[in-house]
Amino acid sequence: MTISDSDRPHSQLARYEDMFRGYRMEIVEGNIVMSPLRPFHNETIMRLWTQLEDQVGPEWGFISDVAIPFSDDFEFCPDLALIPAAEKNRNPTSYAPDLIELAIEVVSPSSVRNDYEVKNGQYAARGIQNYLIFDPQQGHLVTHWNPGPDGYLGRDTLPYGGEIAVETKVGRLTVDTGRLPVDSGPS
């Protein structure tokens, strides 16, 4: 799918792009939500991207922390989103949610409700085929598939510790969760 510039959604967050370094910003339920960046969060994203990139083929590409306007009340910046490579290579400041084939979020202490509840409903309602939640605090992966208007009909929770394969429309993707960091709490 190719989106023309006139059809491309406009990001409300673009005006704040450089104002709050060290924070990730999204619009959730009409409110701007800022989450501090954490090393385990970023390390998980980097390791996932590295493991998955060669598995998806050249027609697909990952974006990270780029605005995806769903509506005036919801503008997400997925930790990783798989979209057609041709669209990724256009390099805009925002993308249409209809381009996303796979959405990945990495949970941080401030994003638990948004990642598990809010995004589950929004991603499924937009028909995003697979939604993966990697949770360093719990040490597990939650896979969602079979989207519908009220959320995903399929869900599995799998503990970190070895290779996990997930069936997606772009093929079988394997992640070595034993290589992902686990946050054992405050020290």
Side-chain angles (χ1 to χ4, degrees):
M1 171 189 297
T2 301
I3 304 292
S4 71
D5 287 335
S6 62
D7 292 335
R8 195 170 301 285
H10 176 70
S11 170
Q12 298 178 73
L13 293 174
R15 69 183 110 175
Y16 305 110
E17 189 172 341
D18 294 323
M19 293 176 73
F20 301 99
R21 297 210 182 266
Y23 287 86
R24 176 175 188 248
M25 295 175 54
E26 296 182 303
I27 297 175
V28 179
E29 298 169 327
N31 299 302
I32 293 177
V33 176
M34 294 174 35
S35 301
L37 300 176
R38 295 173 174 265
F40 278 10
H41 186 266
N42 293 339
E43 182 180 349
T44 301
I45 294 167
M46 179 201 65
R47 289 184 183 205
L48 290 170
W49 194 331
T50 301
Q51 289 186 50
L52 294 172
E53 189 170 39
D54 290 337
Q55 296 179 52
V56 297
E59 65 275 11
W60 296 98
F62 282 104
I63 58 172
S64 179
D65 257 347
V66 179
I68 310 288
F70 279 60
S71 68
D72 287 344
D73 289 335
F74 294 97
E75 186 170 322
F76 300 124
C77 299
D79 291 320
L80 282 174
L82 185 65
I83 65 172
E87 286 297 316
K88 179 199 74 127
N89 293 337
R90 292 172 48 94
N91 199 32
T93 58
S94 64
Y95 291 91
D98 301 338
L99 294 171
I100 300 174
E101 186 64 36
L102 166 70
I104 297 174
E105 296 292 353
V106 178
V107 177
S108 60
S110 62
S111 72
V112 173
R113 179 179 171 274
N114 290 337
D115 291 341
Y116 281 104
E117 296 174 28
V118 176
K119 291 179 182 178
N120 180 327
Q122 291 292 314
Y123 288 173
R126 284 309 278 256
I128 296 171
Q129 293 299 306
N130 293 92
Y131 174 37
L132 307 180
I133 302 172
F134 289 85
D135 191 331
Q137 284 75 44
Q138 300 297 319
H140 67 224
L141 160 64
V142 180
T143 66
H144 296 87
W145 69 94
N146 197 4
D150 297 322
Y152 288 92
L153 300 178
R155 174 187 166 138
D156 282 321
T157 301
L158 307 164
Y160 282 7
E163 284 197 0
I164 294 175
V166 178
E167 296 296 333
T168 72
K169 292 230 175 183
V170 300
R172 183 182 184 99
L173 302 177
T174 304
V175 174
D176 182 356
T177 61
R179 297 187 56 222
L180 301 179
V182 176
D183 188 350
S184 58
S187 50

